[in-house]
Amino acid sequence: MKREGANMADLSTIKDLLENEIKDLYSAEKQLLKAIPKMAKGANHPDLQKCFTDHLAETKEQVARLEEVAKLLEIKPTGKTCMGMEGVIKEGAEALEETGDEAVLDLGIIGAGTRVEHYEMAGYMTAIDLASQMKSTAVVELLQKSLGEEKAAEQKLRMIAGTLMKSTAAAA
Ligand SMILES: [Fe+2]
């Protein structure tokens, strides 16, 4: 069934849906290329700043990987706006504008960063399942690599949160 709207696609096959998911992920990652530097700048703790700048470098590779996936699928990765990521980034921008204790503010920024990672993980998991169903091994491998990086970034954020939590508990 065809429907109107810039973000709508005709989804009749698993491949159609995979293509749609890849475009969504591509839009999400491209949005993050702009958002992560702001999060790095807004973070107070040097470990948190580094976590974001490291993940920015990975995000650039993830964009390149999605372009490679698109090539394998013989599609263009552009043409869709990931509205979910737009919202998650908007919330993150709010966390950057708050004032208060530096460690507490960092914990808020980590909350925003964790939301970003989980949103991305959900997208990659979905795409991996679809590509596995299609037996597109090369696509699965590329997506798995990015999923691994998102999971590692989330773990790193949680670790920094643990450290900050101790320091604020001590200060309180
Ligand atoms: Fe990413």
Side-chain angles (χ1 to χ4, degrees):
M1 192 172 74
K2 284 238 181 218
R3 280 185 297 167
E4 294 298 314
N7 254 352
M8 296 294 184
D10 184 22
L11 305 177
S12 303
T13 65
I14 297 279
K15 185 173 189 289
D16 292 337
L17 184 58
L18 176 61
E19 291 173 4
N20 213 36
E21 296 285 348
I22 295 302
K23 288 179 182 202
D24 197 72
L25 276 165
Y26 191 70
S27 164
E29 297 288 12
K30 292 282 262 192
Q31 289 181 46
L32 285 170
L33 287 182
K34 288 186 198 156
I36 295 174
K38 290 177 195 164
M39 297 184 86
K41 215 176 140 209
N44 296 299
H45 198 287
D47 288 355
L48 185 55
Q49 291 169 357
K50 189 180 181 300
C51 183
F52 284 126
T53 44
D54 288 351
H55 197 54
L56 178 64
E58 287 177 336
T59 301
K60 285 177 188 162
E61 286 175 38
Q62 293 169 358
V63 167
R65 257 177 233 133
L66 287 169
E67 284 166 357
E68 218 177 313
V69 166
K71 211 176 266 177
L72 288 167
L73 296 172
E74 297 176 323
I75 56 158
K76 279 204 177 89
T78 50
K80 193 168 159 61
T81 303
C82 178
M83 290 185 286
M85 188 56 82
E86 258 183 16
V88 173
I89 288 173
K90 252 183 216 166
E91 276 202 8
E94 273 178 21
L96 293 174
E97 279 168 24
E98 309 284 6
T99 54
D101 177 80
E102 285 194 354
V104 175
L105 293 173
D106 274 354
L107 287 168
I109 294 169
I110 289 172
T114 307
R115 282 175 172 85
V116 167
E117 295 314 320
H118 278 248
Y119 193 89
E120 289 191 289
M121 280 155 60
Y124 279 111
M125 285 170 181
T126 304
I128 287 165
D129 285 347
L130 295 168
S132 304
Q133 182 64 32
M134 287 171 55
K135 305 201 180 346
S136 303
T137 317
V139 171
V140 170
E141 276 172 15
L142 285 163
L143 298 173
Q144 286 280 16
K145 206 163 191 187
S146 296
L147 176 62
E149 289 173 354
E150 311 297 20
K151 284 183 177 171
E154 185 252 22
Q155 284 300 308
K156 191 80 205 290
L157 285 172
R158 305 299 305 280
M159 253 178 56
I160 297 168
T163 309
L164 287 170
M165 217 76 88
K166 270 182 214 151
S167 73
T168 51

